[in-house]
Amino acid sequence: QQQVKQSPQSLIVQKGGISIINCAYENTAFDYFPWYQQFPGKGPALLIAIRPDVSEKKEGRFTISFNKSAKQFSLHIMDSQPGDSATYFCAASIMSGGGADGLTFGKGTHLIIQP
Amino acid sequence: GAVVSQHPSWVICKSGTSVKIECRSLDFQATTMFWYRQFPKQSLMLMATSNEGSKATYEQGVEKDKFLINHASLTLSTLTVTSAHPEDSSFYICSARDPRTAKNIQYFGAGTRLSVL
């Protein structure tokens, strides 16, 4: 059972455009939703994260939108640049239990920003 | 952000041998570390949760006798792949939870690529 569904699998965006990646979760106990960026051969790096008590969080060009009732959240990358080309993973975990839970990842989105 | 170091970054071994991978938190004490496995162009799958001073908690389907985890100190967790076989070839990534952060952020190591011949 895949608990976090991510789409699209791949995405091509023109430089300067907006990249949008969507995720949906099933487990209502999840209360922490981070997004990670991964370059080939490297470990994931935390981009931005959100808790369900807010509907949107913005950090620089990256924005998370969160819809608790729909159990969906999305990553928006504004003014996308070639350097943003990477694989992006959404994830979810349960924080309220003391933070001892590992992350459940989506399948990833391979993002290509065309110059 | 916090730094998590993973070593080695790449290892090639013969079938039947054992390989040890180290995960260190360099600037914080991590009571909890996690081990993930990632196949090419696929997602990360949680293998086990490593708790300092106690036995690791393995996810369903992960062989605890195959993947030995030791978290002997607050800054070091090791994963030993015992009697490795070609199907164990994968990218193994550790993460450490930073207890200094209110959000218990997990920081990831750079990963270890294991190739079993």
Side-chain angles (χ1 to χ4, degrees), chain B:
Chain B
V3 178
V4 175
S5 173
Q6 193 170 336
H7 177 80
S9 58
W10 189 24
V11 57
I12 301 174
C13 69
K14 293 182 178 180
S15 183
T17 61
S18 295
V19 174
K20 179 184 285 188
I21 303 170
E22 294 186 348
C23 181
R24 296 180 184 273
S25 55
L26 297 185
D27 54 353
F28 65 99
Q29 293 183 329
T31 55
T32 304
M33 292 184 174
F34 303 92
W35 287 95
Y36 295 83
R37 182 173 181 175
Q38 185 178 32
F39 290 104
K41 297 185 178 181
Q42 294 192 27
S43 188
L44 289 81
M45 299 299 294
L46 179 65
M47 297 175 66
T49 301
S50 172
N51 298 299
E52 188 269 336
S54 64
K55 291 183 178 180
T57 303
Y58 290 82
E59 295 299 300
Q60 189 175 5
V62 178
E63 300 175 59
K64 59 182 65 176
D65 295 329
K66 175 74 168 179
F67 300 99
L68 300 179
I69 292 173
N70 184 287
H71 195 155
S73 77
L74 287 171
T75 60
L76 174 64
S77 175
T78 61
L79 168 68
T80 300
V81 183
T82 62
S83 186
H85 291 282
E87 58 266 29
D88 299 323
S89 298
S90 189
F91 194 50
Y92 294 88
I93 310 175
C94 72
S95 71
R97 185 172 66 87
D98 188 349
R100 302 170 301 177
T101 62
K103 299 175 183 178
N104 292 306
I105 294 173
Q106 284 188 36
Y107 292 96
F108 283 81
T112 297
R113 184 161 303 283
L114 171 62
S115 297
V116 184
L117 304 178

Side-chain angles (χ1 to χ4, degrees), chain A residues 15-79:
Chain A
K15 178 182 176 182
I18 303 174
S19 303
I20 301 174
I21 304 171
N22 301 298
C23 282
Y25 63 97
E26 299 172 3
N27 188 348
T28 55
F30 287 145
D31 58 4
Y32 175 65
F33 304 91
W35 284 89
Y36 285 85
Q37 179 189 57
Q38 185 180 31
F39 293 104
K42 303 295 183 183
L46 178 66
L47 267 180
I48 187 173
I50 197 168
R51 298 293 301 272
D53 51 343
V54 296
S55 60
E56 185 174 282
K57 183 175 181 180
K58 182 177 181 179
E59 290 184 1
R61 296 186 295 111
F62 302 95
T63 300
I64 298 180
S65 296
F66 185 83
N67 185 329
K68 187 175 181 178
S69 61
K71 294 188 288 185
Q72 296 175 346
F73 59 110
S74 61
L75 174 69
H76 294 225
I77 305 175
M78 312 299 287
D79 188 25

